[in-house]
Amino acid sequence: MRPLQERGSSSQSDSEALDSGGNALKVLQLSDPHLLRQGQGRYRGRTPLSQLRHGLEQALAALEDRPDLLLISGDLCQDESWGGYVQLRDLLAASGLPLALLPGNHDHPALLQAALGRQAVLAPSELRLGPWRLLLLSSHRSGDCGGWLGAGQRSWLRQRLLHDCSPALVVVHHPPLPIGDQSFDAIGLRDGAELAGILLEASSVALLLCGHVHQHWQGLLGGQPGIPVLACPSTLCAFGAVQPCPLGRAEDPGGRLLELHHDGRWSQRLLRWSPWPEIAAADPAI
């Protein structure tokens, strides 16, 4: 499986399937919205709900066709509150898009399941997109800003990859390898080496997507030829970029569009937009 520009793969569960006929399947990835219990609550000087709503509108306006799937790769709710997940549920319901969601370190998986379990495919899970599979992993570990899959989830992933050789796109919140930022590398995926071993053993994994780092970043898992790894910007705010932004907009919020082709190739497009203008106000205590 060779990339068109930078290629990828996706996976899912046998019971759920999306298919766009003979056209490339489009996955819109957003990440790290950090919502709060109060819809107008502020975090890092911005209103997360307004920024996410604006980002989704901007991303959809930039696309020629509606995506087949909206994927949000973790840190959905900064204060891990029921109110935050209700805000997310209502916003996403209005979009009418099929949904796949991952918990990040700033999440409460049980509340996420209770609020959105019927509206979205939640990690850990497997989702089929035409000939592709999207494998959603949960790297949430209570009390830890770093990520952890654990032996049970790694075993499940290995079995799924051995069970089916169709092209696979793996998604996890925490990057499984260092990105070159000391702070983030200290809170990456703590069993990333074990995950890498599983993915490199399988011949079907075309791409790994992640969030967590609030920036565009790309690398290779396992060295050449390896498995491409793409990190997604945040809809809320950017952190210091390790790599140059291809669009020259490293400080802006953004997302990523994946196109999954029926012959196993993939292409990707980085998206950026100006943040929703905020009225100056102090951040509330959270």
Side-chain angles (χ1 to χ4, degrees):
M1 270 173 277
R2 301 300 302 170
L4 298 177
Q5 303 165 0
E6 299 172 305
R7 306 306 175 207
S9 88
S10 61
S11 148
Q12 153 170 346
S13 118
D14 293 341
S15 61
E16 309 196 40
L18 299 173
D19 198 336
S20 64
N23 298 324
L25 291 143
K26 296 176 176 61
V27 177
L28 173 60
Q29 182 190 7
L30 303 179
S31 198
D32 296 84
H34 292 270
L35 299 183
L36 302 169
R37 63 174 58 87
Q38 298 292 338
Q40 296 307 308
R42 297 170 68 89
Y43 177 63
R44 295 187 175 270
R46 293 180 177 174
T47 309
L49 181 63
S50 296
Q51 296 296 340
L52 177 58
R53 181 184 294 110
H54 173 68
L56 180 57
E57 291 171 351
Q58 292 295 303
L60 293 176
L63 306 182
E64 294 181 3
D65 303 305
R66 284 174 67 81
D68 298 288
L69 182 71
L70 172 59
L71 166 71
I72 308 184
S73 50
D75 279 1
L76 309 173
C77 187
Q78 170 65 26
D79 59 6
E80 303 180 18
S81 65
W82 174 254
Y85 293 114
V86 169
Q87 301 284 348
L88 181 63
R89 182 184 65 196
D90 293 347
L91 187 156
L92 297 182
S95 77
L97 294 169
L99 305 171
L101 305 175
L102 279 67
N105 47 293
H106 292 295
D107 274 308
H108 191 299
L111 291 180
L112 172 60
Q113 176 68 42
L116 284 133
R118 294 189 177 186
Q119 288 81 18
V121 178
L122 304 180
S125 188
E126 183 181 13
L127 171 69
R128 182 164 292 279
L129 302 172
W132 289 79
R133 294 181 298 148
L134 178 60
L135 290 158
L136 309 175
L137 304 178
S138 173
S139 56
H140 174 87
R141 192 183 195 187
S142 181
D144 191 352
C145 285
W148 181 256
L149 299 177
Q153 194 172 186
R154 296 196 307 267
S155 176
W156 170 82
L157 176 64
R158 179 180 285 109
Q159 291 174 1
R160 296 312 302 162
L161 290 174
L162 292 175
H163 171 77
D164 191 336
C165 293
S166 56
L169 170 63
V170 176
V171 192
V172 63
H173 177 67
H174 294 79
L177 73 173
I179 69 165
D181 179 289
Q182 185 175 6
S183 297
F184 275 117
D185 291 345
I187 54 171
L189 187 64
R190 304 200 188 281
D191 51 356
E194 290 87 342
L195 173 62
I198 294 169
L199 300 184
L200 291 168
E201 181 183 355
S203 60
S204 59
V205 179
L207 176 69
L208 185 144
L209 302 180
C210 58
H212 191 51
V213 297
H214 287 231
Q215 61 190 280
H216 159 80
W217 186 87
Q218 58 187 34
L220 283 174
L221 196 63
Q224 292 288 352
I227 296 170
V229 177
L230 295 174
C232 186
S234 166
T235 61
L236 178 66
C237 63
F239 293 158
V242 173
Q243 299 176 351
C245 172
L247 301 179
R249 302 180 63 178
E251 298 304 313
D252 283 336
R256 194 178 297 279
L257 175 69
L258 274 293
E259 293 193 348
L260 308 177
H261 299 264
H262 285 249
D263 60 1
R265 296 173 302 153
W266 59 269
S267 58
Q268 67 88 21
R269 174 184 167 195
L270 180 65
L271 305 172
R272 294 282 192 181
W273 50 82
S274 298
W276 178 257
E278 298 280 358
I279 300 173
D283 288 349
I286 296 174

